[in-house]
Amino acid sequence: MDIYMGSILAGENAECPSPFDFALGGEGMDSSCPLEANGTVLKDGTAIMVDMAGNYTAYLTDMTRVFSVGKLSGFAYKAHQTALAIQQEIESIAKPGTSCADLYNIAAEMAQKEGLASYFMGTKQQAKFVGHGIDIQINELPVLTPRSKETLQPNMVFALEPKFVIPEIGAVGIENSYLVTETGIEKLTLFKEDIIELS
């Protein structure tokens, strides 16, 4: 698999809203490209989110992992574990016929229950989705949003990306690609999911 594209958000840059309804934006280096990395200096306690798309022939995957410079705050680790719990819950119930809106609502309710609603999918601008279809484009239908009328269907591929932005620390969370099978969903992007500490 080749790397098709990717973005890196470090520290406070993760709070910069996107001009689009993306989960996370980033300030970018200048106004000609107002997205992603902005030259944030890495220091102890900084979260680094790497969001990357891979491709196999014409088809894409989407995956996000989080790294840290040293240790993050306990609150950041709690938010990351909540993202993993959201992913696990959705993995357990998603199957053909499942409402995309229901999947979003489950994620949002879990974030609310953990006291993390104001950090869910951003802070200054919160994206109103928790996943999207992928195929030959990085963003396709279906979209896991509360206004969706779509349901999962066999052979769809989608990315699930519950994420949180923690002020002064950065973004935490997870993103993986899934294939909808006849009976459930199968994870396609397999790599360590805990926060990876950089020394």
Side-chain angles (χ1 to χ4, degrees), residues 90-147:
I90 288 176
E91 286 174 350
S92 73
I93 62 170
K95 60 186 178 183
T98 302
S99 161
C100 293
D102 287 351
L103 295 179
Y104 174 87
N105 290 331
I106 287 166
E109 287 165 11
M110 290 179 71
Q112 177 75 37
K113 183 178 178 183
E114 294 298 324
L116 294 166
S118 59
Y119 309 96
F120 184 53
M121 305 304 283
T123 53
K124 296 175 182 177
Q125 173 180 299
Q126 292 181 289
K128 295 300 180 190
F129 73 96
V130 74
H132 57 87
I134 46 177
D135 187 25
I136 59 174
Q137 298 290 331
I138 197 65
N139 291 296
E140 294 194 6
L141 297 174
V143 182
L144 309 185
T145 177
R147 57 190 181 274

Side-chain angles (χ1 to χ4, degrees), residues 5 38-39 48 56 67-68 72 83-84 96 98 113 122 132 141 144 148 154 165 169 171:
M5 61 173 282
N38 70 343
I48 305 163
Y56 178 73
F67 300 82
S68 69
L72 303 181
L84 295 178
T98 302
K113 183 178 178 183
H132 57 87
L141 297 174
L144 309 185
S148 174
V165 176
I169 292 172

Side-chain angles (χ1 to χ4, degrees), residues 10-183:
E12 294 178 7
N13 187 37
E15 275 202 277
C16 292
S18 167
F20 309 102
D21 193 19
F22 290 167
L24 302 170
E27 182 181 37
M29 296 305 287
D30 60 53
S31 59
S32 69
C33 185
L35 286 170
E36 304 169 359
N38 70 343
T40 294
V41 175
L42 302 181
K43 60 186 180 184
D44 195 52
T46 299
I48 305 163
M49 178 168 278
V50 180
D51 187 341
M52 65 209 120
N55 68 290
Y56 178 73
T57 64
Y59 299 96
L60 297 175
T61 61
D62 203 357
M63 181 173 87
T64 296
R65 294 298 184 267
V66 176
F67 300 82
S68 69
V69 180
K71 297 284 186 188
L72 303 181
S73 71
F75 189 72
Y77 288 107
K78 173 187 175 180
H80 189 77
Q81 289 303 311
T82 301
L84 295 178
I86 290 168
Q87 175 182 257
Q88 184 176 26
E89 178 66 16
I90 288 176
E91 286 174 350
S92 73
I93 62 170
K95 60 186 178 183
T98 302
S99 161
C100 293
D102 287 351
L103 295 179
Y104 174 87
N105 290 331
I106 287 166
E109 287 165 11
M110 290 179 71
Q112 177 75 37
K113 183 178 178 183
E114 294 298 324
L116 294 166
S118 59
Y119 309 96
F120 184 53
M121 305 304 283
T123 53
K124 296 175 182 177
Q125 173 180 299
Q126 292 181 289
K128 295 300 180 190
F129 73 96
V130 74
H132 57 87
I134 46 177
D135 187 25
I136 59 174
Q137 298 290 331
I138 197 65
N139 291 296
E140 294 194 6
L141 297 174
V143 182
L144 309 185
T145 177
R147 57 190 181 274
S148 174
K149 304 298 183 194
E150 298 167 304
T151 61
L152 298 181
Q153 298 300 320
N155 299 316
M156 281 182 172
V157 177
F158 70 94
L160 174 64
E161 54 176 319
K163 297 173 180 175
F164 296 90
V165 176
I166 312 303
E168 300 181 10
I169 292 172
V172 296
I174 194 74
E175 181 175 24
N176 281 302
S177 299
Y178 293 87
L179 169 68
V180 182
T181 68
E182 295 294 332
T183 58

